[in-house]
Amino acid sequence: MQLQLVVVETGRTWRRALLRMVWDPKNAISHNDYGSFERQNSGSNSKLDEDDHDKPLPLRGCSLGSLGSAGALPLSPLHNQQASASSMSDTDLIQRQPLLPLPTKNGNHITVEYEEDRDDHSEDDGRPGGKVNGAVIISIPKAEREEQRYPKEKLKTLMAFFCLVFGFIMATASLSLVHERVPDKKTYGPLPDIFFELFPKVPWALTVSEIIIVVSTNVTFLVLLFHKHRFIVFRRLFLMMSLLYLMRSVTMFVTVLPMSDPTYYCSPKANETTPWLLTTRVWQLMSGFGLTINGKQTYCGDFIYSGHTVMLTICYLLINEYSPDSPKRIFQLLSWLSCIASTTAVFMVLLARGHYTIDILIAYFVTTRTFWIYHTLANNSSLKKPGPHNFLARAWWFPIFRYFEGNVGVKVPRQHDWPLPWPRRFLHKPPNRNS
């Protein structure tokens, strides 16, 4: 008897494999059959020697892991009396192999097929896997492609970028309007702040803070660019930043605080608001990315909440969440450096009197909660559906989130690759040793 394993792979259906166990009786004289259970005998077709009843039956090249290639299978006296020299019966072999299915009546072949290859499901006998035309059917689920689990959806990423641009325009437009409502510095001094009372003012600290913001932003961009699922990660960044800027445009507009630094230069007020004036101010602020080191941020009143803190916090959270796992020490160090740099930059903003302490605290709270709630919803498919069990679905931005994240069903892994089609040597993928 011989046990053979045949795997057939064809074209596009490479995942479909036909596992076939073939029962093939062989001549007892031929001892070159791999996996044969025949006992090697010098004589012709005769019964086993009675003196060898108590000896183990050697196996040559058995492919079953439970037996081993050089093992021996002990035989009982009753079994030795019933065994023949030419071959074993099917029943004897199956008794030795209790996990093998019984051969069918209409042939010597036992076939295992994929469920997707079946044409008729009505002839199942009710057992697990079923049975069709004498073939034992084992249901094997289809392998889910990586493209289905992590869809790129480039159009959605582009739409998310437009949402970010819209949120930034709304924030700058709100600042353009708030500038006309800022209380006069000569009449209203800075509000009492515990940090201002403990630490003196450092004029150059705001420049240091914005330099750290520029460096952190570029490092974060590189980490996300080299991510394997960069379109998903960038889409999340754009959506979260658009939400934060939209909420900031509301909070700074409804409550206007007096200047925290009386010496800070503010552009003269126009005492009127026209569409052209609003457009020119928005363009000036956007061209300078809202930073004073570019010389374009000369409008005052953007206090609650701090945009500097939002950028620094989101950069740290993204680096900590999406940086590679290996080499572990290097990227753990990068995460720690990002945290230290962000904390230092926030401290510098307070030293320069660029914001009140309440602006920093609210910005940190809103940014971290938005990030954590967003990723909690994104990493749990059950939370992407509204219902009585899902209170997070009551957020006003949940329908927007559901549209952009509805097709990402699992957590995005920390995998990185080369983002460009050249040079090709960086695109080489090592073989999968686990397959």
Side-chain angles (χ1 to χ4, degrees):
M1 306 291 294
Q2 184 179 8
L3 184 64
Q4 296 181 351
L5 180 65
V6 180
V7 178
V8 180
E9 299 180 356
T10 58
R12 297 182 179 177
T13 59
W14 59 273
R15 286 185 175 85
R16 299 184 178 181
L18 180 63
L19 184 64
R20 178 172 298 171
M21 297 181 181
V22 182
W23 299 82
D24 189 10
K26 299 293 182 180
N27 194 336
I29 300 177
S30 176
H31 301 292
N32 295 326
D33 298 334
Y34 184 82
S36 174
F37 284 82
E38 307 278 323
R39 179 187 171 120
Q40 187 172 3
N41 194 351
S42 59
S44 60
N45 296 343
S46 61
K47 294 185 179 180
L48 295 173
D49 191 353
E50 295 180 357
D51 296 335
D52 297 334
H53 284 338
D54 299 331
K55 296 181 180 180
L57 181 64
L59 302 179
R60 301 186 309 281
C62 182
S63 61
L64 300 178
S66 60
L67 297 179
S69 60
L73 186 63
L75 296 178
S76 62
L78 179 60
H79 180 78
N80 291 334
Q81 293 176 3
Q82 297 177 352
S84 61
S86 60
S87 62
M88 293 182 181
S89 66
D90 293 345
T91 305
D92 291 337
L93 183 58
I94 293 174
Q95 288 177 354
R96 294 171 181 268
Q97 307 285 336
L99 297 180
L100 294 179
L102 293 173
T104 58
K105 295 181 180 180
N106 55 351
N108 292 329
H109 300 284
I110 299 179
T111 305
V112 179
E113 300 177 352
Y114 279 84
E115 185 177 4
E116 59 187 1
D117 294 333
R118 297 171 57 186
D119 296 328
D120 185 11
H121 295 265
S122 60
E123 297 182 8
D124 294 351
D125 58 357
R127 295 183 299 175
K131 190 174 182 180
V132 178
N133 297 328
V136 177
I137 306 300
I138 299 178
S139 301
I140 301 178
K142 295 181 180 180
E144 189 176 6
R145 295 184 178 181
E146 188 175 16
E147 293 81 1
Q148 297 175 353
R149 301 175 63 190
Y150 310 107
K152 293 182 179 179
E153 297 180 309
K154 298 180 181 179
L155 181 59
K156 287 186 178 181
T157 305
L158 182 61
M159 295 174 62
F161 177 75
F162 289 148
C163 291
L164 173 60
V165 174
F166 175 76
F168 194 63
I169 291 175
M170 292 298 296
T172 53
S174 178
L175 176 57
S176 301
L177 296 174
V178 167
H179 177 73
E180 300 293 329
R181 301 167 52 204
V182 175
D184 188 4
K185 293 184 291 184
K186 298 179 181 179
T187 306
Y188 300 93
L191 296 176
D193 191 288
I194 187 64
F195 188 91
F196 296 171
E197 297 175 2
L198 296 177
F199 297 94
K201 178 185 175 181
V202 180
W204 49 264
L206 186 61
T207 302
V208 174
S209 174
E210 293 185 345
I211 292 175
I212 295 176
I213 289 177
V214 173
V215 175
S216 298
T217 303
N218 287 298
V219 172
T220 305
F221 176 79
L222 291 177
V223 170
L224 302 187
L225 180 64
F226 282 89
H227 199 282
K228 184 177 181 179
H229 309 290
R230 59 189 64 89
F231 290 98
I232 297 177
V233 179
F234 274 116
R235 186 163 62 243
R236 292 178 175 180
L237 169 63
F238 297 154
L239 286 175
M240 289 186 293
M241 290 301 298
S242 63
L243 293 175
L244 293 171
Y245 273 117
L246 283 173
M247 291 186 288
R248 183 170 182 262
S249 66
V250 175
T251 55
M252 77 167 70
F253 181 79
V254 295
T255 302
V256 183
L257 303 181
M259 292 298 297
S260 56
D261 180 14
T263 61
Y264 186 83
Y265 172 76
C266 297
S267 297
K269 298 181 180 180
N271 296 325
E272 62 177 353
T273 304
T274 61
W276 176 250
L277 178 64
L278 186 64
T279 303
T280 54
R281 287 181 176 179
V282 168
W283 175 253
Q284 179 179 348
L285 291 170
M286 292 185 64
S287 61
F289 295 99
L291 300 178
T292 57
I293 58 176
N294 296 324
K296 302 295 183 65
Q297 174 63 307
T298 58
Y299 302 104
C300 303
D302 56 335
F303 290 109
I304 301 177
Y305 43 86
S306 172
H308 290 67
T309 306
V310 168
M311 291 298 301
L312 293 166
T313 306
I314 201 71
C315 286
Y316 163 69
L317 293 173
L318 289 171
I319 291 175
N320 185 60
E321 179 66 23
Y322 293 108
S323 59
D325 287 330
S326 61
K328 187 174 182 179
R329 292 184 177 179
I330 294 178
F331 289 102
Q332 280 185 344
L333 178 62
L334 176 63
S335 180
W336 278 105
L337 289 176
S338 176
C339 180
I340 295 173
S342 299
T343 305
T344 303
V346 169
F347 187 76
M348 291 293 176
V349 171
L350 290 174
L351 286 178
R353 304 296 191 263
H355 280 280
Y356 291 101
T357 306
I358 188 62
D359 303 342
I360 305 295
L361 296 178
I362 294 177
Y364 171 80
F365 184 86
V366 173
T367 305
T368 53
R369 270 57 187 178
T370 301
F371 186 92
W372 294 335
I373 292 174
Y374 190 101
H375 284 76
T376 299
L377 293 171
N379 295 338
N380 295 273
S381 57
S382 61
L383 297 179
K384 294 182 180 180
K385 300 178 181 178
H389 67 285
N390 186 10
F391 285 87
L392 297 178
R394 300 183 183 183
W396 65 269
W397 47 268
F398 181 79
I400 304 174
F401 159 83
R402 190 178 180 186
Y403 171 75
F404 285 98
E405 293 285 341
N407 296 330
V408 184
V410 294
K411 181 180 179 180
V412 176
R414 296 187 178 187
Q415 299 176 356
H416 291 69
D417 59 7
W418 185 251
L420 301 177
W422 50 268
R424 294 185 179 275
R425 59 191 180 95
F426 291 132
L427 300 176
H428 175 68
K429 295 182 179 179
N432 186 5
R433 302 297 184 184
N434 298 325
S435 60

